[in-house]
């Protein structure tokens, strides 16, 4: 059975945490009215508790543990009397030969003992608040630039790097970009004209690959639904990190090279056949210099926000030549021009296009 001191400690805890019953409130009211000191201690603790905006589940859990430890110390040392005097002090013999006096927790004034509990609760509340604040800061610290489906977007980063985003693409970077690092995350396709900074290399990361350079120009395409990721280097050099192959070494690319990463096998192949058609989309140009029907279907799909399907294997060996301006020519105009070669036909059903 709990003694009076334990009951008071429980009442205070239930009151502060909102779990007190009407009967508890009446009993606590009687206790606080017994002495000005009881009233003052309770009010101080209650004011701190209710004024802390960050009180939540973490503070509640730690407060319970703090009160339990406090209660155990009180009971172990003899508790405290209702008039604020130390019961432990009353129980100690004044005969030094019988029981030497020892320094006890409850020789500390009552207000200091309450202050210790208050500090524990306040510390818990502050930690909870800071944890939540840091979480919000991390979310708000990310800047996102996005190109809507069927259109392009050009943006300039704080360091002067110019980025052209292809349709349906997105980049994110921290508000501290350029201070500690120059890291950018990409979804889709972008052409990067990187401002030179030898002290802070520029890094673009996708789900499949990471491209690191100091100052150069390159195109990186890694749409989530594509089977391949591709890097085309038009100037300078970059270092590639194949994120799909943990045992592979980083690869250094030179100007005029193309790197193609298979998402299925994780194999990265670098060739020297990059040309202007690879970045023609940045100026709304579609250059067909012998491209396969599958490459054309992919570009048309991204450029016009449609799903292009190649039906059957008959077109697998077909390659096409030509130049189109996607900013002035419609999808149907381009498909009509391709079909005039006699190699293919097409059907348009809403946003679904079938080539056969």
């Amino acid at each position: 059975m709990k003694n009076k001191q334990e009951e008071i400690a429980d009442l205070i805890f239930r009151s502060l945490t909102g779990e007190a019953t009407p009967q508890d409130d009446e009993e606590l009211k009687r206790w606080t009215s017994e002495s000005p000191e009881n009233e003052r201690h309770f009010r101080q603790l209650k004011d701190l508790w209710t004024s802390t905006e960050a009180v939540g589940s973490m503070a509640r859990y730690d407060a319970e543990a703090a009160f339990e430890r406090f209660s155990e110390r009180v009971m172990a040392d003899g508790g405290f009397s209702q008039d604020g005097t130390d019961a432990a002090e009353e129980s100690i013999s004044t005969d030094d030969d019988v029981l030497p006096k020892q320094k006890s927790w409850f020789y500390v004034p009552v207000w200091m003992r309450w202050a210790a509990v208050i500090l524990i609760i306040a510390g818990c509340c502050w930690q909870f608040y800071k944890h939540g604040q840091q979480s919000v800061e991390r979310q708000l610290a990310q800047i996102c630039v996005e190109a809507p489906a069927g259109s392009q977007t050009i943006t300039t980063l704080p360091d002067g790097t110019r980025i052209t985003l292809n349709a349906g693409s997105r980049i994110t970077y921290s508000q501290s970009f350029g201070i500690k690092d120059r890291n950018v995350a990409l979804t889709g396709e972008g052409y990067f004209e990187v401002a030179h900074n030898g002290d802070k290399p520029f890094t673009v990361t996708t789900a499949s690959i990471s491209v690191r350079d100091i100052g150069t120009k390159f195109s990186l395409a890694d749409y989530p639904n594509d089977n391949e990721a591709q890097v085309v280097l038009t100037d300078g050099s970059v270092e590639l990190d194949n994120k799909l192959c943990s045992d592979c070494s980083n690869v250094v690319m030179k100007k005029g090279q193309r790197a193609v990463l298979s998402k299925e096998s994780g194999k990265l192949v670098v060739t020297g056949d990059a040309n202007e058609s690879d970045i023609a989309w940045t100026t709304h140009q579609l250059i067909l210099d012998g491209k396969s029907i599958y490459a054309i279907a992919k570009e048309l799909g991204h450029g016009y926000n449609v799903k292009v399907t190649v039906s059957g294997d008959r077109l697998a060996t077909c390659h096409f030549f030509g130049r189109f301006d996607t900013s002035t020519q419609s999808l149907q105009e381009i498909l009509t021009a391709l079909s005039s070669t006699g190699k293919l036909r097409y059907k348009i059903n809403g946003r679904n296009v079938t080539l056969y």
Side-chain angles (χ1 to χ4, degrees), residues 306-308 330-336 345-356:
V306 294
K307 181 180 180 181
V308 183
S330 67
L331 173 63
Q332 187 160 0
E333 286 180 305
I334 296 176
L335 292 176
T336 298
R345 297 179 181 179
Y346 67 91
K347 291 181 181 179
I348 300 178
N349 183 16
R351 294 197 172 279
N352 294 304
V353 178
T354 303
L355 306 180
Y356 61 97

Side-chain angles (χ1 to χ4, degrees), residues 18-153:
E19 296 179 352
T21 65
Q23 184 178 358
D24 291 336
D25 291 334
E26 286 297 324
E27 187 172 351
L28 184 57
K29 185 177 180 180
R30 284 194 298 270
W31 179 79
T32 56
S33 65
E34 289 175 358
S35 73
E37 187 177 20
N38 290 352
E39 172 72 15
R40 183 173 64 256
H41 294 330
F42 175 69
R43 289 300 177 190
Q44 287 175 346
L45 185 57
K46 183 178 180 180
D47 289 345
L48 176 62
W49 184 281
T50 56
S51 65
T52 306
E53 295 181 355
V55 171
S57 59
M58 181 181 295
R60 180 184 179 122
Y61 173 82
D62 287 342
E64 183 174 354
F67 264 97
E68 186 173 344
R69 291 193 299 270
F70 170 74
S71 181
E72 289 174 354
R73 290 298 299 272
V74 172
M75 297 310 123
D77 283 327
F80 58 88
S81 64
Q82 294 185 24
D83 62 0
T85 61
D86 295 323
E89 187 175 359
E90 295 172 357
S91 66
I92 296 177
S93 172
T94 58
D95 188 348
D96 293 341
D97 296 332
V98 177
L99 179 62
K101 290 185 178 181
Q102 297 179 356
K103 190 173 182 180
S104 168
W105 163 263
F106 272 85
Y107 275 97
V108 179
V110 175
W111 70 269
M112 291 185 67
R113 299 198 294 267
W114 280 103
V117 178
I118 291 172
L119 289 174
I120 293 174
I121 297 172
C124 294
C125 295
W126 176 251
Q127 289 300 321
F128 178 81
Y129 169 76
K130 290 301 293 181
H131 175 78
Q133 183 186 50
Q134 290 169 0
S135 177
V136 171
E137 287 177 350
R138 284 193 295 269
Q139 295 177 16
L140 295 179
Q142 293 299 312
I143 298 174
C144 177
V145 180
E146 191 167 2
S151 63
Q152 298 176 6
T153 295

Side-chain angles (χ1 to χ4, degrees), residues 223-254:
Y223 285 95
N225 295 328
D226 287 352
N227 296 324
E228 298 175 335
Q230 177 176 270
V231 179
V232 174
L233 186 60
T234 59
D235 189 26
S237 64
V238 296
E239 183 179 65
L240 306 183
D241 178 13
N242 183 354
K243 299 171 65 177
L244 303 183
C245 179
S246 58
D247 298 330
C248 296
S249 301
N250 289 358
V251 176
V252 176
M253 288 181 63
K254 301 298 182 182

Side-chain angles (χ1 to χ4, degrees), residues 110-329:
V110 175
W111 70 269
M112 291 185 67
R113 299 198 294 267
W114 280 103
V117 178
I118 291 172
L119 289 174
I120 293 174
I121 297 172
C124 294
C125 295
W126 176 251
Q127 289 300 321
F128 178 81
Y129 169 76
K130 290 301 293 181
H131 175 78
Q133 183 186 50
Q134 290 169 0
S135 177
V136 171
E137 287 177 350
R138 284 193 295 269
Q139 295 177 16
L140 295 179
Q142 293 299 312
I143 298 174
C144 177
V145 180
E146 191 167 2
S151 63
Q152 298 176 6
T153 295
I154 298 176
T155 186
T156 301
L157 300 184
D159 68 337
T161 294
R162 188 173 186 268
I163 303 176
T164 304
L165 291 177
N166 205 353
S169 302
R170 179 179 69 254
I171 61 165
T172 57
Y173 59 93
S174 170
Q175 288 185 355
S176 63
F177 177 91
I179 299 176
K180 295 182 179 180
D181 54 48
R182 297 197 297 166
N183 298 335
V184 173
L186 169 70
T187 300
E189 183 174 14
Y191 180 64
F192 298 82
E193 299 173 77
V194 181
H196 179 80
N197 187 333
D199 296 329
K200 295 184 179 68
F202 186 91
T203 302
V204 184
T205 302
T206 71
S208 308
I209 197 169
S210 179
V211 181
R212 178 179 180 271
D213 89 313
I214 295 175
T216 187
K217 299 178 182 179
F218 64 92
S219 173
L220 171 58
D222 188 0
Y223 285 95
N225 295 328
D226 287 352
N227 296 324
E228 298 175 335
Q230 177 176 270
V231 179
V232 174
L233 186 60
T234 59
D235 189 26
S237 64
V238 296
E239 183 179 65
L240 306 183
D241 178 13
N242 183 354
K243 299 171 65 177
L244 303 183
C245 179
S246 58
D247 298 330
C248 296
S249 301
N250 289 358
V251 176
V252 176
M253 288 181 63
K254 301 298 182 182
K255 178 180 178 180
Q257 290 186 326
R258 178 204 316 274
V260 178
L261 173 63
S262 170
K263 296 182 182 180
E264 182 178 356
S265 66
K267 185 177 181 180
L268 179 67
V269 178
V270 179
T271 59
D273 58 351
N275 55 60
E276 65 168 333
S277 68
D278 294 311
I279 60 170
W281 60 267
T282 62
T283 56
H284 303 283
Q285 299 296 307
L286 175 62
I287 300 177
L288 309 182
D289 52 354
K291 289 187 176 180
S292 70
I293 191 61
Y294 301 105
I296 296 173
K298 183 188 298 184
E299 290 196 42
L300 292 176
H302 293 320
Y304 291 96
N305 189 27
V306 294
K307 181 180 180 181
V308 183
T309 303
V310 179
S311 178
D313 297 329
R314 189 180 67 84
L315 298 177
T317 58
C318 293
H319 295 266
F320 296 83
F321 295 84
R323 182 186 291 263
F324 303 93
D325 188 335
T326 57
S327 64
T328 59
Q329 293 178 276

